[in-house]
Amino acid sequence: MTLSESNLQTAYSLAKERYAALGVDTEKALARLEKVAISLHCWQGDDVGGFENPGGELSGGIAATGNYPGKARTADELRKDLDVVYSLLPGSHRLNLHAIYLESDSKVERDALEPRHFSAWKDWAKTNGHGVDFNPTCFSHPKSADGFTLAHRDAGIRKFWIEHCIASRKIGEYFGKELRTPAVTNIWIPDGYKDSPADRRTPRELLRDSLDAVLAEKIDPRYNLDAVEPKLFGIGSESYVVGSMEFYTAYALSRKILLTLDAGHFHPTETIADKISSLLIYLDELLLHVSRGVRWDSDHVVTFNDDLQAIAHEIVRNDALERIHIGLDYFDASINRVAAWTIGARNTLRALLMALLEPQAILKQYEVEGDFSSRLALQEELKSMPFGAVWDYCCSTMNVPVGMDFMNVIKDYERKELAKRA
Ligand code: RNT
Ligand code: ZN
């Protein structure tokens, strides 16, 4: 570490004093941050490949680009990589698993998946204290080759995907029971058209009916929570996506399930931060896929940008840390994958800490008084407050590397482990 322990303490004490002057208790903020569990997306570790069909092509209008060496080839390798990531994050975090990350000696069709195909994940999660979230994989499969799944016009194909989603909810329930924390099982499907459809309505009616069939069986919310994820467009579904924001917002509201907001799924200048307060008035809980679109839904590593800060601030301002499940969703194959995970996750935590350090009471008071000059002045001053010192202190007291030191761990792991993978 470049900073001595005593300097780190001093920097924190000074920061604490500055925040206290604004009525913000840094200790309270740190205690709240400690309880936040980020759901790490397993698919960053192997470019959304999974273990159902090693070497299979990624489809469904999403793409991982790059060929940085070291991608996980087996579930054991993936868990090993994840262990490194978790060791570099302050706090205790979750795993977000996709159905194609099953483990089985023989081929299992997706509509026949069972909890036992995930028992090694369950054991590992139990040992390490991770909650697990789950996702049916409705892409990268011959039955999704024409771009349609739950909204397919062929009843047989719809049935296959309905069965897969039902199996996925049961796997979510299994994780929830075993790990004593509900799994959020999130349904995202690629269904849509490259070019202007003649009929936008029928696929949406089919999707509604398929989802109703998937959700027909009630599962105890202590074990499994259901979520649906809208999207504006994908590669090959530029003109029309069946599961749009309006479709799923109305669906989630009417069926009392969760709505997922992925930061990369909207118009390029549209951010998800402003959607949170509206949706929380009507929906009990949300799931976020924190991501970063660059020009399109490119799933870049989450950086500490304005969008991320705005999302974190809205979660905190709405006092919604318990109602919003925070997951990450990106896949960058052009850099060290362990670093990609760690950088995005650390940024998300860092943004939440910054939000927890906001002097909400003063800002709100300025607003109520109509003193918008002071509101703006303070908002801008906050940007250069010594919040980095609080973050460093947080890392140090939670025994994870401070500053760039986490990269030493990753470089070391790259030399000893990742470099050996062909
Ligand atoms: C795709 C969605 C979806 C996927 C994962 C792999 O646009 O964001 O969440 O990224 O299911
Ligand atoms: Zn997503």
Side-chain angles (χ1 to χ4, degrees):
M1 189 177 69
T2 40
L3 204 64
S4 76
E5 197 57 43
S6 78
N7 277 342
L8 192 140
Q9 280 288 345
T10 310
Y12 173 65
S13 308
L14 295 172
K16 188 175 169 171
E17 203 177 304
R18 291 285 308 278
Y19 282 104
L22 293 170
V24 175
D25 184 338
T26 51
E27 297 293 329
K28 263 195 198 142
L30 289 168
R32 287 179 74 192
L33 186 70
E34 197 177 339
K35 292 204 203 100
V36 174
I38 306 282
S39 197
L40 288 190
H41 52 316
C42 73
W43 52 94
Q44 165 55 52
D46 74 333
D47 317 337
V48 213
F51 310 121
E52 174 191 67
N53 171 24
E57 281 277 296
L58 175 59
S59 76
I62 52 179
T65 53
N67 53 6
Y68 198 87
K71 96 173 180 190
R73 297 159 302 179
T74 63
D76 283 326
E77 286 183 352
L78 191 58
R79 282 188 282 266
K80 215 169 163 185
D81 296 353
L82 281 160
D83 286 338
V84 177
V85 181
Y86 289 114
S87 78
L88 301 172
L89 308 179
S92 174
H93 300 284
R94 303 175 64 88
L95 177 73
N96 196 4
L97 207 51
H98 240 287
I100 46 171
Y101 290 78
L102 78 161
E103 287 172 272
S104 170
D105 297 331
S106 53
K107 166 106 183 127
V108 189
E109 250 317 336
R110 292 195 196 167
D111 56 350
L113 279 171
E114 290 176 46
R116 65 189 167 93
H117 300 120
F118 295 89
S119 63
W121 284 108
K122 180 265 294 170
D123 291 340
W124 169 83
K126 217 175 232 182
T127 307
N128 296 289
H130 304 303
V132 169
D133 300 303
F134 202 71
N135 307 261
T137 309
C138 302
F139 51 84
S140 304
H141 189 279
K143 283 196 160 68
S144 68
D146 62 3
F148 276 80
T149 62
L150 290 177
H152 207 287
R153 296 204 186 228
D154 180 302
I157 294 191
R158 283 202 307 281
K159 183 164 182 295
F160 174 82
W161 292 111
I162 290 169
E163 298 295 333
H164 173 53
C165 290
I166 291 174
S168 297
R169 294 180 75 219
K170 299 218 162 115
I171 295 161
E173 177 186 35
Y174 158 78
F175 277 118
K177 264 189 195 158
E178 289 283 343
L179 305 172
R180 295 167 182 278
T181 165
V184 182
T185 298
N186 174 55
I187 299 179
W188 173 74
I189 59 164
D191 303 33
Y193 286 122
K194 181 185 181 76
D195 228 324
S196 305
D199 173 6
R200 293 173 179 266
R201 182 172 168 138
T202 302
R204 290 185 168 140
E205 288 173 343
L206 292 171
L207 178 55
R208 175 201 55 198
D209 295 347
S210 291
L211 289 170
D212 283 349
V214 168
L215 300 174
E217 189 182 326
K218 292 282 158 266
I219 297 184
D220 192 328
R222 282 178 304 165
Y223 307 133
N224 183 72
L225 300 167
D226 299 292
V228 284
E229 181 179 4
K231 185 165 184 171
L232 178 68
F233 72 94
I235 302 170
S237 59
E238 289 85 356
S239 302
Y240 169 73
V241 166
V242 183
S244 61
M245 179 66 172
E246 293 72 15
F247 176 88
Y248 278 132
T249 306
Y251 190 83
L253 265 174
S254 58
R255 277 29 174 205
K256 301 198 181 326
I257 59 170
L258 280 70
L259 183 71
T260 302
L261 298 178
D262 183 310
H265 285 196
F266 298 89
H267 287 278
T269 58
E270 185 178 0
T271 69
I272 62 170
D274 185 45
K275 303 182 190 302
I276 291 172
S277 54
S278 300
L279 293 167
L280 282 181
I281 295 177
Y282 301 103
L283 292 167
D284 290 337
E285 296 180 40
L286 294 171
L287 168 64
L288 300 187
H289 274 186
V290 180
S291 187
R292 177 168 55 106
V294 177
R295 304 195 188 280
W296 60 287
D297 177 35
S298 56
D299 290 287
H300 278 62
V301 177
V302 167
T303 55
F304 196 71
N305 60 12
D306 287 351
D307 284 355
L308 178 67
Q309 291 175 41
I311 293 167
H313 277 85
E314 280 306 303
I315 298 173
V316 172
R317 286 174 192 153
N318 282 278
D319 195 17
L321 280 167
E322 256 112 68
R323 291 171 66 194
I324 299 186
H325 304 259
I326 306 171
L328 304 181
D329 185 9
Y330 52 81
F331 18 101
D332 190 338
S334 74
I335 61 174
N336 180 309
R337 292 170 186 76
V338 174
W341 255 321
T342 309
I343 293 164
R346 280 176 68 108
N347 276 334
T348 304
L349 289 166
R350 201 191 334 246
L352 286 166
L353 178 61
M354 190 186 212
L356 287 163
L357 292 170
E358 184 180 69
Q360 271 190 52
I362 302 183
L363 286 166
K364 274 193 206 161
Q365 199 189 329
Y366 286 147
E367 189 160 289
V368 170
E369 288 166 357
D371 185 358
F372 304 140
S373 328
S374 298
R375 182 183 65 183
L376 181 62
L378 181 53
Q379 281 169 343
E380 292 308 298
E381 282 306 305
L382 290 172
K383 292 178 180 169
S384 60
M385 285 283 285
F387 118 92
V390 185
W391 169 249
D392 288 345
Y393 175 81
C394 167
C395 291
S396 149
T397 51
M398 295 180 79
N399 295 314
V400 302
V402 173
M404 274 293 280
D405 284 5
F406 76 92
M407 279 306 294
N408 299 337
V409 177
I410 291 175
K411 290 280 178 198
D412 192 49
Y413 185 67
E414 179 167 272
R415 269 190 303 273
K416 290 188 179 130
E417 169 73 25
L418 301 177
K420 296 196 181 120
R421 296 180 190 168

